[in-house]
Amino acid sequence: MGFETVPLIYGTYMATVDVFMLGILKAINLGWISSSLIFLPTLIYAMQPWIFLKSLEFESMTVMNLLWDVTSDVLVTASGLYFFKEKLSRTKLLGVGLSLISIMLMGWKD
């Protein structure tokens, strides 16, 4: 019993890449940084398949994809709320909370 830490680390690492790259894209959209920097997220995202491939040594594709996607959703949402001052209703915040429960369940060792 407990958590499978390696898949959680890989999922969090890939999600963190999403946070930074989507943050750059949002900043370009808002005009905070030059659109000439679009190459940066493109190049960094090109590495994601290699990271995902390595993660498959520790967990199934199904679990790793869910860990990556849901963790990314939560972290990108936190970034949007904090850095970009976006707002969520209580119902949507409840959805984020349920996503956290999902991450815990997907990372649980059977």
Side-chain angles (χ1 to χ4, degrees), residues 2 10 15 18 22 28 34 44 47 57-58 69 72 75 77 89 94 104-105 107 109:
Y10 271 100
D18 290 348
L22 292 176
I28 289 171
S34 170
I44 294 174
M47 296 184 311
E57 294 177 17
F58 304 98
D69 289 347
S72 175
L75 294 179
T77 297
S89 68
L94 176 61
M104 291 188 305
L105 293 173
K109 185 189 312 185

PDB file of all heavy atoms in Angstrom, residues 2 10 15 18 22 28 34 44 47 57-58 69 72 75 77 89 94 104-105 107 109:
ATOM      1  N   GLY A   2       0.315   2.359  -0.371  1.00  0.00           N
ATOM      2  CA  GLY A   2       1.041   3.617  -0.454  1.00  0.00           C
ATOM      3  C   GLY A   2       1.042   4.140  -1.873  1.00  0.00           C
ATOM      4  O   GLY A   2       0.292   3.679  -2.725  1.00  0.00           O
ATOM      5  N   TYR A  10       7.201  11.410 -12.624  1.00  0.00           N
ATOM      6  CA  TYR A  10       7.159  11.607 -14.074  1.00  0.00           C
ATOM      7  C   TYR A  10       5.935  12.426 -14.485  1.00  0.00           C
ATOM      8  O   TYR A  10       6.037  13.342 -15.308  1.00  0.00           O
ATOM      9  CB  TYR A  10       7.167  10.272 -14.825  1.00  0.00           C
ATOM     10  CG  TYR A  10       8.548   9.781 -15.135  1.00  0.00           C
ATOM     11  CD1 TYR A  10       9.148   8.798 -14.352  1.00  0.00           C
ATOM     12  CD2 TYR A  10       9.266  10.282 -16.213  1.00  0.00           C
ATOM     13  CE1 TYR A  10      10.421   8.342 -14.629  1.00  0.00           C
ATOM     14  CE2 TYR A  10      10.541   9.835 -16.498  1.00  0.00           C
ATOM     15  CZ  TYR A  10      11.115   8.863 -15.706  1.00  0.00           C
ATOM     16  OH  TYR A  10      12.385   8.414 -15.990  1.00  0.00           O
ATOM     17  N   ALA A  15       3.797  17.524 -16.350  1.00  0.00           N
ATOM     18  CA  ALA A  15       2.803  18.566 -16.100  1.00  0.00           C
ATOM     19  C   ALA A  15       3.474  19.916 -15.859  1.00  0.00           C
ATOM     20  O   ALA A  15       2.945  20.959 -16.271  1.00  0.00           O
ATOM     21  CB  ALA A  15       1.935  18.185 -14.900  1.00  0.00           C
ATOM     22  N   ASP A  18       4.204  21.480 -19.026  1.00  0.00           N
ATOM     23  CA  ASP A  18       2.962  22.077 -19.532  1.00  0.00           C
ATOM     24  C   ASP A  18       2.718  23.448 -18.910  1.00  0.00           C
ATOM     25  O   ASP A  18       2.332  24.396 -19.603  1.00  0.00           O
ATOM     26  CB  ASP A  18       1.756  21.180 -19.239  1.00  0.00           C
ATOM     27  CG  ASP A  18       1.742  19.907 -20.056  1.00  0.00           C
ATOM     28  OD1 ASP A  18       2.516  19.788 -21.017  1.00  0.00           O
ATOM     29  OD2 ASP A  18       0.929  19.023 -19.722  1.00  0.00           O
ATOM     30  N   LEU A  22       2.522  26.478 -21.446  1.00  0.00           N
ATOM     31  CA  LEU A  22       1.214  27.131 -21.589  1.00  0.00           C
ATOM     32  C   LEU A  22       1.245  28.538 -21.017  1.00  0.00           C
ATOM     33  O   LEU A  22       0.573  29.439 -21.528  1.00  0.00           O
ATOM     34  CB  LEU A  22       0.123  26.290 -20.935  1.00  0.00           C
ATOM     35  CG  LEU A  22      -0.157  24.950 -21.637  1.00  0.00           C
ATOM     36  CD1 LEU A  22      -1.177  24.139 -20.858  1.00  0.00           C
ATOM     37  CD2 LEU A  22      -0.603  25.157 -23.066  1.00  0.00           C
ATOM     38  N   ILE A  28       2.254  35.300 -24.467  1.00  0.00           N
ATOM     39  CA  ILE A  28       2.295  35.764 -25.858  1.00  0.00           C
ATOM     40  C   ILE A  28       0.923  36.298 -26.259  1.00  0.00           C
ATOM     41  O   ILE A  28       0.798  37.367 -26.846  1.00  0.00           O
ATOM     42  CB  ILE A  28       2.756  34.631 -26.802  1.00  0.00           C
ATOM     43  CG1 ILE A  28       4.243  34.333 -26.587  1.00  0.00           C
ATOM     44  CG2 ILE A  28       2.483  34.993 -28.263  1.00  0.00           C
ATOM     45  CD1 ILE A  28       4.742  33.076 -27.309  1.00  0.00           C
ATOM     46  N   SER A  34       7.078  38.727 -26.665  1.00  0.00           N
ATOM     47  CA  SER A  34       7.026  38.720 -28.124  1.00  0.00           C
ATOM     48  C   SER A  34       6.561  37.373 -28.681  1.00  0.00           C
ATOM     49  O   SER A  34       6.960  36.309 -28.183  1.00  0.00           O
ATOM     50  CB  SER A  34       8.421  39.032 -28.677  1.00  0.00           C
ATOM     51  OG  SER A  34       8.470  38.820 -30.064  1.00  0.00           O
ATOM     52  N   ILE A  44      10.416  22.655 -26.697  1.00  0.00           N
ATOM     53  CA  ILE A  44      10.358  21.941 -25.421  1.00  0.00           C
ATOM     54  C   ILE A  44       9.279  20.867 -25.447  1.00  0.00           C
ATOM     55  O   ILE A  44       9.485  19.750 -24.961  1.00  0.00           O
ATOM     56  CB  ILE A  44      10.182  22.926 -24.252  1.00  0.00           C
ATOM     57  CG1 ILE A  44      11.463  23.775 -24.157  1.00  0.00           C
ATOM     58  CG2 ILE A  44       9.906  22.202 -22.949  1.00  0.00           C
ATOM     59  CD1 ILE A  44      11.420  24.883 -23.176  1.00  0.00           C
ATOM     60  N   MET A  47      10.095  17.378 -26.692  1.00  0.00           N
ATOM     61  CA  MET A  47      10.759  16.412 -25.807  1.00  0.00           C
ATOM     62  C   MET A  47       9.767  15.556 -25.016  1.00  0.00           C
ATOM     63  O   MET A  47      10.142  14.521 -24.465  1.00  0.00           O
ATOM     64  CB  MET A  47      11.685  17.151 -24.833  1.00  0.00           C
ATOM     65  CG  MET A  47      12.825  17.857 -25.519  1.00  0.00           C
ATOM     66  SD  MET A  47      13.993  18.628 -24.381  1.00  0.00           S
ATOM     67  CE  MET A  47      12.946  19.545 -23.283  1.00  0.00           C
ATOM     68  N   GLU A  57       8.342   2.712 -18.438  1.00  0.00           N
ATOM     69  CA  GLU A  57       9.115   1.660 -17.764  1.00  0.00           C
ATOM     70  C   GLU A  57       8.585   1.403 -16.351  1.00  0.00           C
ATOM     71  O   GLU A  57       8.889   0.385 -15.749  1.00  0.00           O
ATOM     72  CB  GLU A  57      10.592   2.051 -17.684  1.00  0.00           C
ATOM     73  CG  GLU A  57      11.273   2.139 -19.032  1.00  0.00           C
ATOM     74  CD  GLU A  57      12.711   2.602 -18.919  1.00  0.00           C
ATOM     75  OE1 GLU A  57      13.294   2.546 -17.810  1.00  0.00           O
ATOM     76  OE2 GLU A  57      13.259   3.037 -19.954  1.00  0.00           O
ATOM     77  N   PHE A  58       7.785   2.335 -15.839  1.00  0.00           N
ATOM     78  CA  PHE A  58       7.343   2.260 -14.448  1.00  0.00           C
ATOM     79  C   PHE A  58       5.842   2.078 -14.276  1.00  0.00           C
ATOM     80  O   PHE A  58       5.395   1.673 -13.202  1.00  0.00           O
ATOM     81  CB  PHE A  58       7.788   3.527 -13.705  1.00  0.00           C
ATOM     82  CG  PHE A  58       9.256   3.751 -13.793  1.00  0.00           C
ATOM     83  CD1 PHE A  58       9.780   4.630 -14.724  1.00  0.00           C
ATOM     84  CD2 PHE A  58      10.128   3.047 -12.968  1.00  0.00           C
ATOM     85  CE1 PHE A  58      11.147   4.816 -14.824  1.00  0.00           C
ATOM     86  CE2 PHE A  58      11.495   3.230 -13.060  1.00  0.00           C
ATOM     87  CZ  PHE A  58      12.011   4.119 -13.997  1.00  0.00           C
ATOM     88  N   ASP A  69      -2.040  14.122 -17.509  1.00  0.00           N
ATOM     89  CA  ASP A  69      -3.117  15.032 -17.901  1.00  0.00           C
ATOM     90  C   ASP A  69      -3.782  15.713 -16.717  1.00  0.00           C
ATOM     91  O   ASP A  69      -3.957  16.935 -16.705  1.00  0.00           O
ATOM     92  CB  ASP A  69      -4.183  14.291 -18.716  1.00  0.00           C
ATOM     93  CG  ASP A  69      -3.709  13.912 -20.110  1.00  0.00           C
ATOM     94  OD1 ASP A  69      -2.660  14.431 -20.544  1.00  0.00           O
ATOM     95  OD2 ASP A  69      -4.390  13.096 -20.745  1.00  0.00           O
ATOM     96  N   SER A  72      -1.405  18.010 -14.901  1.00  0.00           N
ATOM     97  CA  SER A  72      -1.250  19.211 -15.715  1.00  0.00           C
ATOM     98  C   SER A  72      -2.457  20.128 -15.567  1.00  0.00           C
ATOM     99  O   SER A  72      -2.307  21.342 -15.411  1.00  0.00           O
ATOM    100  CB  SER A  72      -1.072  18.825 -17.192  1.00  0.00           C
ATOM    101  OG  SER A  72      -1.032  19.977 -18.001  1.00  0.00           O
ATOM    102  N   LEU A  75      -2.187  21.881 -12.154  1.00  0.00           N
ATOM    103  CA  LEU A  75      -1.094  22.851 -12.073  1.00  0.00           C
ATOM    104  C   LEU A  75      -1.301  24.037 -13.016  1.00  0.00           C
ATOM    105  O   LEU A  75      -1.002  25.180 -12.655  1.00  0.00           O
ATOM    106  CB  LEU A  75       0.248  22.164 -12.350  1.00  0.00           C
ATOM    107  CG  LEU A  75       0.687  21.127 -11.321  1.00  0.00           C
ATOM    108  CD1 LEU A  75       2.025  20.506 -11.718  1.00  0.00           C
ATOM    109  CD2 LEU A  75       0.771  21.732  -9.927  1.00  0.00           C
ATOM    110  N   THR A  77      -4.200  25.148 -13.981  1.00  0.00           N
ATOM    111  CA  THR A  77      -5.278  25.918 -13.350  1.00  0.00           C
ATOM    112  C   THR A  77      -4.717  26.802 -12.241  1.00  0.00           C
ATOM    113  O   THR A  77      -5.050  27.992 -12.152  1.00  0.00           O
ATOM    114  CB  THR A  77      -6.364  24.974 -12.794  1.00  0.00           C
ATOM    115  OG1 THR A  77      -6.937  24.261 -13.886  1.00  0.00           O
ATOM    116  CG2 THR A  77      -7.440  25.738 -12.049  1.00  0.00           C
ATOM    117  N   SER A  89     -15.515  29.540 -10.557  1.00  0.00           N
ATOM    118  CA  SER A  89     -16.664  29.472  -9.649  1.00  0.00           C
ATOM    119  C   SER A  89     -16.411  28.378  -8.604  1.00  0.00           C
ATOM    120  O   SER A  89     -15.490  27.571  -8.731  1.00  0.00           O
ATOM    121  CB  SER A  89     -17.930  29.132 -10.446  1.00  0.00           C
ATOM    122  OG  SER A  89     -17.842  27.800 -10.948  1.00  0.00           O
ATOM    123  N   LEU A  94     -14.536  22.968  -7.041  1.00  0.00           N
ATOM    124  CA  LEU A  94     -14.837  21.617  -6.570  1.00  0.00           C
ATOM    125  C   LEU A  94     -14.306  20.594  -7.573  1.00  0.00           C
ATOM    126  O   LEU A  94     -13.735  19.568  -7.194  1.00  0.00           O
ATOM    127  CB  LEU A  94     -16.340  21.437  -6.356  1.00  0.00           C
ATOM    128  CG  LEU A  94     -16.800  20.044  -5.948  1.00  0.00           C
ATOM    129  CD1 LEU A  94     -16.188  19.630  -4.610  1.00  0.00           C
ATOM    130  CD2 LEU A  94     -18.318  19.992  -5.887  1.00  0.00           C
ATOM    131  N   MET A 104      -4.442  11.289  -6.619  1.00  0.00           N
ATOM    132  CA  MET A 104      -4.085  10.407  -5.507  1.00  0.00           C
ATOM    133  C   MET A 104      -4.470   8.963  -5.812  1.00  0.00           C
ATOM    134  O   MET A 104      -3.685   8.038  -5.555  1.00  0.00           O
ATOM    135  CB  MET A 104      -4.723  10.877  -4.200  1.00  0.00           C
ATOM    136  CG  MET A 104      -4.140  12.185  -3.695  1.00  0.00           C
ATOM    137  SD  MET A 104      -4.691  12.680  -2.046  1.00  0.00           S
ATOM    138  CE  MET A 104      -6.438  12.675  -2.202  1.00  0.00           C
ATOM    139  N   LEU A 105      -5.648   8.753  -6.369  1.00  0.00           N
ATOM    140  CA  LEU A 105      -6.088   7.396  -6.687  1.00  0.00           C
ATOM    141  C   LEU A 105      -5.247   6.767  -7.788  1.00  0.00           C
ATOM    142  O   LEU A 105      -4.917   5.568  -7.724  1.00  0.00           O
ATOM    143  CB  LEU A 105      -7.563   7.395  -7.079  1.00  0.00           C
ATOM    144  CG  LEU A 105      -8.549   7.737  -5.967  1.00  0.00           C
ATOM    145  CD1 LEU A 105      -9.968   7.860  -6.525  1.00  0.00           C
ATOM    146  CD2 LEU A 105      -8.499   6.685  -4.855  1.00  0.00           C
ATOM    147  N   GLY A 107      -2.163   7.402  -8.444  1.00  0.00           N
ATOM    148  CA  GLY A 107      -0.810   7.164  -7.939  1.00  0.00           C
ATOM    149  C   GLY A 107      -0.737   6.114  -6.841  1.00  0.00           C
ATOM    150  O   GLY A 107       0.342   5.787  -6.364  1.00  0.00           O
ATOM    151  N   LYS A 109      -0.588   2.640  -5.001  1.00  0.00           N
ATOM    152  CA  LYS A 109      -0.079   1.301  -5.284  1.00  0.00           C
ATOM    153  C   LYS A 109      -1.105   0.285  -4.839  1.00  0.00           C
ATOM    154  O   LYS A 109      -1.527   0.267  -3.687  1.00  0.00           O
ATOM    155  CB  LYS A 109       1.244   1.085  -4.528  1.00  0.00           C
ATOM    156  CG  LYS A 109       1.912  -0.225  -4.845  1.00  0.00           C
ATOM    157  CD  LYS A 109       3.093  -0.532  -3.960  1.00  0.00           C
ATOM    158  CE  LYS A 109       4.058   0.603  -3.806  1.00  0.00           C
ATOM    159  NZ  LYS A 109       5.260   0.224  -3.038  1.00  0.00           N
TER     160      LYS A 109
END
